[in-house]
Amino acid sequence: MPTVLIIDDHAAVAIALEVLFSLHEIDALSAATPEEGLALLERHCVDLVVQDMNFSADTTSGEEGAALFHAIRARHPDLPVILLTAWTQLDAAVDLIRSGAADYLAKPWDDRRLVASVRNLLELGQANRALRARVVAEQRQRHALQDAFDLRGMVWQDPATERVVHLACQVARADVPVLISGPNGSGKECIAAIVQANSLVAAGPFVVLNCGAVPVDLIEAELFGAEAGAYTGSARARDGKFDAADGGTLFLDEIGNLPLAGQMKLLRVLETGRFERLGSNRERQVKVRIISASNADLPAMIKAGTFREDLFYRLNVIELRLPPLAQRPADILVLARHFLGSDKTLDAQAQAALLAHGWPGNVRELKNVMQRASLLTAGSVIHAPELGLPAAAIAPSAVLEPDRDSVAEALARAHGVVAQAAQELGLSRQALYRRMERLGIARG
């Protein structure tokens, strides 16, 4: 059961609260003085504090309670505190709520309101602890990947991306073809580079061919090379991508655009490692790791007769599915900051607009938006209208809760000046202090 600590110098109040909480399956500890309460917090696991505001006889200033509250916040910044007193002053209540107090109730209290407040705060605390634990676990796993593998400088934060990167590293050393699927601009080439960099042929060449960017009548020559005169305009013999990638990796992007004749020859290379240049009868032998990528529905192309089924299964020994950026929302802001660099920053509304946009162009579109906004923004802070996104994405109602990285980076750019960092984040100074306490960021 959750545990509540009651700090009140009136024994009758403490007993009444203990009974009330026990009726709702909540354990309670009691302390009569601030010192005793702080000591109990060090010895016991407490989920919430209900504290009085005055402890000395004939004292109604609330200064003792305020001092106790700040002492609790300093030692346990995530612990919710409900202030309870027979003497109230609106200014004092507002000030302490701004400093992070969870609630402020007057004696005699309303049992239902007090229990409802306690239950809500306990549930919120449990959810926050679970969220923090998940964030810590994700950061730990991300750092472990960065320490163990060459990730080619890839930037990400979303668990969906993490799963793809982890699998890419896991299969990199296996000498089998890898197929990377995902929409245009989602980062398939970055995943291919990670596979190559951690493979057994990492020291070899990494050759890239976009099958959709080469004319159909020239793609076989691009892949396999050609003898002089093999086609119009070929005055001399030329090597193909397989020759260039010998001993390394060949990345075939948009493999679905490869014509059927080229597919047949590619299948033979995958099976035997041998091929012939255009215009030649002499076989050439290579050792090449194949990574392919496609934004097309290859199974549908197989049914339509435009892609060979046997080639698909040869390429698809391992498939890495990279989701569109809209399905990796935690990647959006870290990538946006990465593309901006250190010279520009985003205000809270701009960040909310980025999260609200659908990103049909994926990471490529995001990079374009950030580069354009950086060039067109005269100041150091980019505002939502300067992103050039559709109006729906920059609605004034959009609200963003900054994460720990956002707060830390804003403070760094402001050289520790909280008021300046708060303005950038779209928060009041006290609201930023509360988030710093909750996120475990020390005040400068």
Side-chain angles (χ1 to χ4, degrees):
M1 288 194 298
T3 300
V4 173
L5 172 61
I6 303 159
I7 309 177
D8 197 299
D9 58 333
H10 289 89
V13 170
I15 293 171
L17 289 174
E18 288 176 1
V19 172
L20 176 63
F21 292 145
S22 68
L23 293 174
H24 293 85
E25 298 183 341
I26 300 172
D27 283 338
L29 300 172
S30 296
T33 65
E35 295 75 19
E36 185 183 351
L38 292 172
L40 283 173
L41 282 176
E42 298 303 320
R43 297 197 304 268
H44 296 275
C45 181
V46 172
D47 300 293
L48 182 142
V49 172
V50 177
Q51 69 153 84
D52 194 11
M53 289 297 292
N54 298 290
F55 294 91
S56 300
D58 301 323
T59 299
T60 60
S61 67
E63 293 178 359
E64 294 172 311
L68 172 59
F69 167 76
H70 289 300
I72 293 173
R73 298 295 288 173
R75 302 181 192 188
H76 307 277
D78 295 326
L79 187 62
V81 178
I82 295 177
L83 308 173
L84 196 64
T85 181
W87 176 89
T88 58
Q89 185 181 41
L90 183 59
D91 290 343
V94 170
D95 184 58
L96 290 175
I97 291 293
R98 284 176 174 172
S99 297
D103 207 346
Y104 194 106
L105 302 178
K107 297 177 182 177
W109 61 84
D110 179 283
D111 284 355
R112 280 192 289 185
R113 179 183 170 186
L114 176 58
V115 170
S117 180
V118 168
R119 283 198 177 280
N120 289 338
L121 289 168
L122 290 174
E123 291 174 3
L124 180 61
Q126 184 179 16
N128 286 338
R129 286 192 295 273
L131 177 61
R132 284 194 297 273
R134 190 186 75 187
V135 169
V136 169
E138 290 172 357
Q139 289 176 339
R140 188 181 298 117
Q141 184 172 354
R142 192 157 58 247
H143 293 154
L145 276 175
Q146 291 168 345
D147 292 339
F149 299 98
D150 180 355
L151 302 182
R152 303 278 87 184
M154 185 168 176
V155 175
W156 83 91
Q157 189 167 298
D158 198 278
T161 311
E162 177 103 18
R163 287 190 289 271
V164 179
V165 173
H166 185 271
L167 184 56
C169 294
Q170 185 179 349
V171 304
R173 296 182 68 82
D175 187 18
V176 295
V178 173
L179 173 64
I180 306 170
S181 59
N184 281 334
S186 57
K188 297 189 295 294
E189 187 168 343
C190 291
I191 299 297
I194 290 173
V195 174
Q196 190 273 339
N198 296 280
S199 69
L200 295 173
V201 293
F206 180 52
V207 179
V208 178
L209 175 64
N210 187 330
C211 300
V214 181
V216 172
D217 55 347
L218 294 180
I219 197 164
E220 287 188 51
E222 283 289 325
L223 279 172
F224 308 112
E227 297 295 337
Y231 59 90
T232 303
S234 61
R236 57 183 180 179
R238 54 172 294 190
D239 288 338
K241 298 299 185 183
F242 272 99
D243 289 306
D246 193 13
T249 301
L250 175 58
F251 175 48
L252 300 175
D253 200 5
E254 304 306 341
I255 189 69
N257 290 307
L258 189 65
L260 285 169
Q263 293 177 33
M264 183 175 64
K265 288 189 175 182
L266 176 59
L267 179 63
R268 183 166 182 265
V269 179
L270 288 171
E271 291 176 341
T272 67
R274 305 182 70 83
F275 66 94
E276 299 165 2
R277 281 180 171 179
L278 287 181
S280 172
N281 293 322
R282 186 171 65 86
E283 286 192 332
R284 305 170 72 88
Q285 181 80 41
V286 292
K287 178 64 175 177
V288 175
R289 168 80 176 276
I290 297 293
I291 303 173
S292 56
S294 179
N295 70 329
D297 185 345
L298 295 182
M301 293 180 66
I302 292 171
K303 290 182 180 180
T306 57
F307 199 85
R308 294 179 63 102
E309 186 173 16
D310 47 3
L311 176 60
F312 174 74
Y313 290 120
R314 285 289 294 160
L315 294 172
N316 192 29
V317 177
I318 298 292
E319 182 175 5
L320 304 175
R321 293 180 177 270
L322 190 59
L325 183 59
Q327 295 178 17
R328 298 145 46 193
D331 285 346
I332 294 172
L333 294 183
V334 295
L335 284 169
R337 296 187 194 108
H338 173 71
F339 295 140
L340 276 181
S342 58
D343 295 333
K344 305 275 185 178
T345 186
L346 298 155
D347 73 1
Q349 285 293 326
Q351 294 179 53
L354 292 176
L355 292 175
H357 186 52
W359 300 111
N362 295 291
V363 178
R364 191 174 294 141
E365 180 189 2
L366 175 60
K367 184 176 183 179
N368 177 278
V369 167
M370 301 320 300
Q371 288 178 334
R372 182 180 64 243
S374 180
L375 289 172
L376 298 180
T377 302
S380 61
V381 179
I382 295 174
H383 306 285
E386 294 162 338
L387 295 173
L389 296 175
I394 57 175
S397 60
V399 177
L400 175 73
E401 176 63 25
D403 58 17
R404 192 182 195 284
D405 289 342
S406 301
V407 173
E409 290 170 8
L411 287 167
R413 285 188 292 269
H415 304 290
V417 180
V418 173
Q420 182 177 333
Q423 182 179 12
E424 176 186 323
L425 294 168
L427 302 171
S428 69
R429 185 169 55 86
Q430 291 296 339
L432 179 54
Y433 274 130
R434 290 198 298 274
R435 284 158 178 79
M436 290 168 63
E437 291 177 350
R438 186 172 70 247
L439 296 170
I441 299 175
R443 299 191 185 191

